[in-house]
Amino acid sequence: MDRIRIGGGRRLHGEIPISGAKNAALPLIAASLLSSGPLTLTNVPNLVDLGSMVELLEVLGVGVTWEKSSVLGVGGVMRLSAPGPVATLAPYDIVRKMRASFFVLGPLLARAHQARVSLPGGCAIGARPVDVHLKGLAAMGAAIELEEGYVVASCPGGLQGAEFEFPMVSVGATENLLMAASLAHGRTVLSNAALEPEIKDLGECLIAMGAKISGLGTTRIVIDGVAELGPATHPVLPDRIETGTYAIAAAIAGGEVDITGTRVDLVASLLMLLKRTGAEIIPTDNGMKIVRDGRRPRSIDARTEPFPGFPTDLQAQYMALMAFGDGLSHIQETIFENRFMHVPELARMGADISIEGDTAIVRGQARLKAAPVMATDLRASSSLILAGLGAEGNTIVNRVYHLDRGFERIEEKLSRCGADIERLRGEG
Ligand code: UD1
């Protein structure tokens, strides 16, 4: 298994181009099930998770071509078409690899009026049930049963439009229902919908395919179902988690980094925090410049919240920054339980972090020391790399396959800015 070595202590200078968002691309790929197509996606990042999603769509009968880009900063192009009838069994072997596979449930029900989808796996960050997805689809008339680890759902006459209020804010459930409602009979009103930008991106793609949707970007989305959807071309939204990760990298390592191909509004909550820690943020035409003089960051508390609040997917990375803070900070995780798996790994590098309930208390240190560490989930992996940029010596991050699920060419992007980082192929 590959490992990554990071020699700490180098400042970063240069440009980091941001890829298309994994979390936008995953539901967009699933949306191809809603029409005979083709759906053409541009700005597609080359990530293992997208490969898993494509594998699933192919099993379901979708034809996929994917031209991956070999140029840093240029996204790939994916064409998906499902002119014939689709298969309706999403098998455990594929779904277990990635929770986002569950996105096929809504589109399959909408198009084929039945589906048998394995309950998902994915990052081990808490229980992560799918009850809200199921409640919403049941409200639209689907009969749903659980059989041997599979969700078995059917709606013989098609899905019916419904009024559904999400009992909790869920990104994935909002996306699943948005797709399902596009082909339902009549009007669906989703309230307490999640506000994450990936939902608006999906909605805009569905509109390009012919869906009738209003209220995107608000908590109340109204969908008037149509009989069929058609071909469309859609660029994948820039990745806000990747954007934020590199902004934090610059704040830890110091230097001047131009983060391009992205938008400040996607990471406004993080940028406000970074400013308070002492980083300078300069918005640019296609992103932002992060300038930091290498002094210790001020310790500033953070709390994860649904968008537009501070994202849980940046919590681990922000904690790496706070590990170098000049005092005490509290980082509260309100979205997922058990999302502090990076804490013992950061502690191996000398970070002083204790956990009380849903809050990590971080006592900043003047130095961290390199150590062999273990990546435990996708975002935690990136936090260990960031910590390595600021630590003394050579940090080795083991089990980097998690990283490849969600960060495109991270070692190349950082080394182009002067970081001492390399991938060690093979055993580890
Ligand atoms: C998405 C993102 C993930 C991010 C998360 C929160 C994708 C592919 N993944 O995940 O990277 O960390 O949003 O921003 O976009 N919940 C339930 N029942 C449900 C659904 C969710 O109890 O049916 C709970 C979850 O366990 C969690 C909270 O709701 O505690 C938020 O989850 P949700 O917004 O659904 O996250 P995902 O869509 O899985």
Side-chain angles (χ1 to χ4, degrees), residues 22-24 26-27 99-100 103 125-134 168-173 175 194 196 198 240-241 305-306 311-313 334-337 339 379:
K22 168 180 87 76
N23 285 354
L26 288 166
R99 179 178 166 87
F103 284 137
I125 46 173
R128 302 188 82 175
V130 288
D131 53 321
V132 179
H133 300 240
L134 301 185
M168 63 194 305
V169 178
S170 164
V171 180
E175 290 167 336
E196 270 66 6
E198 292 76 21
R240 63 196 167 92
I241 304 307
E305 282 169 349
T312 174
D313 286 351
T334 73
I335 309 289
F336 293 113
E337 78 241 41
R339 204 178 199 181
R379 308 307 178 184

Side-chain angles (χ1 to χ4, degrees), residues 126-414:
R128 302 188 82 175
V130 288
D131 53 321
V132 179
H133 300 240
L134 301 185
K135 262 188 205 132
L137 291 168
M140 296 176 74
I144 296 175
E145 285 181 43
L146 297 183
E147 276 175 21
E148 295 170 351
Y150 279 77
V151 172
V152 182
S154 65
C155 52
L159 289 169
Q160 298 295 329
E163 301 227 343
F164 184 72
E165 177 166 357
F166 291 96
M168 63 194 305
V169 178
S170 164
V171 180
T174 303
E175 290 167 336
N176 228 337
L177 292 194
L178 183 59
M179 290 189 278
S182 298
L183 284 185
H185 300 294
R187 173 169 282 198
T188 299
V189 180
L190 301 176
S191 33
N192 195 28
L195 292 172
E196 270 66 6
E198 292 76 21
I199 293 165
K200 189 163 179 224
D201 197 49
L202 172 64
E204 282 166 357
C205 177
L206 294 170
I207 289 171
M209 292 165 75
K212 295 205 159 37
I213 301 172
S214 62
L216 284 177
T218 75
T219 56
R220 186 174 182 276
I221 305 178
V222 180
I223 306 114
D224 285 305
V226 295
E228 59 176 16
L229 297 174
T233 297
H234 180 81
V236 178
L237 181 80
D239 196 315
R240 63 196 167 92
I241 304 307
E242 197 198 14
T243 304
T245 300
Y246 289 121
I248 296 170
I252 289 178
E256 188 169 328
V257 176
D258 201 2
I259 304 179
T260 59
T262 185
R263 302 189 336 233
V264 282
D265 63 289
L266 297 174
V267 283
S269 59
L270 170 73
L271 296 181
M272 262 158 53
L273 279 175
L274 286 184
K275 242 183 224 166
R276 292 176 62 203
T277 68
E280 192 186 346
I281 321 278
I282 305 160
T284 59
D285 285 350
N286 63 351
M288 70 216 67
K289 208 174 253 185
I290 313 286
V291 185
R292 183 66 184 140
D293 56 12
R295 270 183 298 164
R296 275 175 84 178
R298 278 195 290 279
S299 290
I300 304 289
D301 295 348
R303 178 177 198 269
T304 63
E305 282 169 349
F307 192 85
F310 177 65
T312 174
D313 286 351
L314 287 173
Q315 180 254 106
Q317 297 90 315
Y318 183 73
M319 196 179 297
L321 175 66
M322 287 300 96
F324 296 97
D326 67 356
L328 199 66
S329 61
H330 294 76
I331 301 179
Q332 190 186 1
E333 172 57 59
T334 73
I335 309 289
F336 293 113
E337 78 241 41
N338 194 19
R339 204 178 199 181
F340 286 136
M341 272 110 67
H342 42 287
V343 169
E345 300 302 312
L346 290 170
R348 289 172 58 79
M349 301 173 71
D352 182 347
I353 305 170
S354 54
I355 297 172
E356 277 180 24
D358 65 359
T359 301
I361 301 156
V362 188
R363 205 173 291 276
Q365 303 294 309
R367 319 198 158 81
L368 294 195
K369 289 230 164 79
V373 287
M374 184 87 86
T376 49
D377 72 40
L378 171 53
R379 308 307 178 184
S381 316
S382 64
S383 86
L384 299 174
I385 290 192
L386 300 193
L389 291 174
E392 289 170 3
N394 283 303
T395 296
I396 306 284
V397 181
N398 292 288
R399 289 175 88 186
V400 295
Y401 66 88
H402 284 296
L403 207 61
D404 297 330
R405 289 185 42 214
F407 288 90
E408 188 176 29
R409 294 154 84 165
I410 188 167
E411 63 276 22
E412 199 180 332
K413 289 187 183 185
L414 285 170

